[in-house]
Amino acid sequence: GHWYLKPSIGISGLSNTSGMRIDEINSDIAVTTEDGFSAGIGLGYAYNRNLSAEVSWEYRSNDTKVNLSDGSEFPDGNYASSLFFVNGVWHFNSSSQWRPYVGGGIVYVQEIDIDLESAGVEQSFSDSGQFGLQVFGGIDYKFTENITFGGEVRYFSSGMDNLQSEFPATGSIEGLEYDTWTIGVTMTYHL
């Protein structure tokens, strides 16, 4: 067995959502998101050639536009999150330098935050302490004895949540569904 470090960067996708409500203004909202970015780092331990476990942290950010049921909108905004993962990973045997893998894990949401901006005024809503699940798959390429590069696809879901306002905003956003996907690249340094 051995330890490894695994930084990553990627494209962050976030599903458009509707049916949420801002209770203070009694309005349904629909959130349209653009592809954003993610960046993170993990520490893992490979028990043998196939099985490893890792803990990692990731930051994600996506620009947004929010439409209210009365026809008004927040044309600019941002959805961001800070997530911690505990994952199990299974690498398939391969006689080449390419090694596919699959994995899954539990996610702790340290913070989910959405900023709604209009005419230079920003309102922020956030929450923390939720849990979710993720699944992923990818392939590594052995570049040297200690370094591998890889590509992976991940899907994460936290289920339903409510975001509480941060001053000077008031009220809460109810019915959040935070489901994300990532297409990323990794570099693993085997210690």
Side-chain angles (χ1 to χ4, degrees):
H2 65 273
W3 294 92
Y4 61 86
L5 290 172
K6 188 176 182 179
S8 64
I9 58 171
I11 297 171
S12 165
L14 180 62
S15 299
N16 295 336
T17 57
S18 59
M20 301 189 315
R21 293 184 62 76
I22 300 181
D23 65 353
E24 183 70 16
I25 58 176
N26 193 30
S27 176
D28 291 339
I29 63 173
V31 180
T32 304
T33 62
E34 298 179 7
D35 290 342
F37 78 95
S38 67
I41 189 165
L43 173 66
Y45 185 78
Y47 293 97
N48 54 44
R49 181 169 171 78
N50 300 107
L51 181 63
S52 61
E54 56 190 34
V55 294
S56 58
W57 168 83
E58 179 185 75
Y59 176 79
R60 311 174 61 88
S61 178
N62 297 81
D63 289 338
T64 64
K65 181 174 82 171
V66 175
N67 294 299
L68 281 66
S69 56
D70 65 2
S72 60
E73 68 176 12
F74 292 93
D76 299 303
N78 180 268
Y79 235 142
S81 64
S82 175
L83 310 170
F84 288 91
F85 309 111
V86 177
N87 297 320
V89 185
W90 180 264
H91 278 88
F92 296 95
N93 285 326
S94 174
S95 58
S96 74
Q97 291 179 287
W98 297 94
R99 292 190 67 210
Y101 63 89
V102 294
I106 298 173
V107 182
Y108 173 73
V109 180
Q110 191 242 337
E111 182 180 40
I112 294 177
D113 174 272
I114 186 168
D115 299 324
L116 311 179
E117 300 176 30
S118 180
V121 178
E122 179 179 288
Q123 299 185 51
S124 293
F125 299 82
S126 66
D127 194 23
S128 61
Q130 300 297 318
F131 287 89
L133 298 173
Q134 76 165 348
V135 293
F136 55 90
I139 189 165
D140 281 337
Y141 175 77
K142 186 176 181 179
F143 185 69
T144 69
E145 191 63 32
N146 296 97
I147 296 175
T148 59
F149 292 100
E152 69 179 22
V153 176
R154 286 186 283 129
Y155 174 77
F156 159 68
S157 177
S158 69
M160 300 293 287
D161 198 4
N162 295 329
L163 302 183
Q164 302 303 314
S165 60
E166 299 175 4
F167 184 81
T170 56
S172 63
I173 295 178
E174 302 172 347
L176 168 72
E177 290 187 34
Y178 194 69
D179 298 328
T180 69
W181 56 266
T182 304
I183 298 175
V185 293
T186 63
M187 184 196 79
T188 306
Y189 179 69
H190 301 270
L191 305 173

